[in-house]
Amino acid sequence: MKTPNYHDFYQIALVPIGKNDRLALNESDAFMGMTCTHWLIAVEGVQLYEPKIYFHWKVTIYPADHEGDFDWTNPFFVSSASKCMDNAIQLASSLVSSSKNDHLTVSTELEKIS
C-alpha cells in the first residue's frame, strides 16, 4: 500500500465532532470502531507524474482523536483534485465552517454530488 505524501500535507483544522456528524460518522466506512472526537481537515498535494514536479490539490477529512492522531488509510471524505491550491484551501475553509456548525456530513455529501 502506498503511503500518502506528507511532505505536501497541510492541516487546516482540528474541529470537535458534533452530535449530528457523530451519527453520520458512526454509520460510515471511516468509523471502524475508533474513538474519534475531532475532524482533521487537511489539504494534500497529489504529485503528477511528469518530467517537472507538478501538484494537484485535494481536501481530505479524517476522524481523529483530540491530539490529532488519525488513520490515513481511512478518510471520511476526499475531494476531487484541483489544479489550484487556493481552490482546495477555500473548500477546506468552507468544510471547517460546516463542521463547526455540526453540518460537515451534509456538506461533504453535497460536495460529492456537485
Side-chain angles (χ1 to χ4, degrees):
M1 178 178 292
K2 184 178 175 186
T3 58
N5 176 9
Y6 287 120
H7 179 72
D8 294 295
F9 181 90
Y10 303 98
Q11 180 176 329
I12 303 297
L14 185 64
V15 182
I17 299 173
K19 288 182 182 182
N20 294 323
D21 286 339
R22 161 82 47 214
L23 293 172
L25 173 63
N26 289 349
E27 295 174 5
S28 77
D29 293 336
F31 177 58
M32 297 182 56
M34 296 170 44
T35 304
C36 300
T37 57
H38 289 71
W39 295 119
L40 186 142
I41 301 172
V43 172
E44 296 184 58
V46 179
Q47 186 173 350
L48 304 177
Y49 296 101
E50 298 193 10
K52 291 186 177 182
I53 296 176
Y54 290 103
F55 288 91
H56 281 181
W57 302 93
K58 64 182 179 179
V59 176
T60 309
I61 301 174
Y62 298 96
D65 67 14
H66 68 283
E67 295 177 338
D69 292 334
F70 65 97
D71 178 0
W72 64 268
T73 62
N74 235 4
F76 177 76
F77 170 79
V78 179
S79 73
S80 57
S82 171
K83 292 180 183 179
C84 178
M85 186 179 195
D86 289 339
N87 292 345
I89 291 172
Q90 185 177 19
L91 173 60
S93 296
S94 170
L95 294 172
V96 168
S97 295
S98 294
S99 66
K100 288 179 178 179
N101 293 321
D102 199 17
H103 295 297
L104 179 71
T105 53
V106 172
S107 296
T108 56
E109 284 302 314
L110 291 174
E111 183 64 28
K112 289 178 187 176
I113 292 170
S114 58

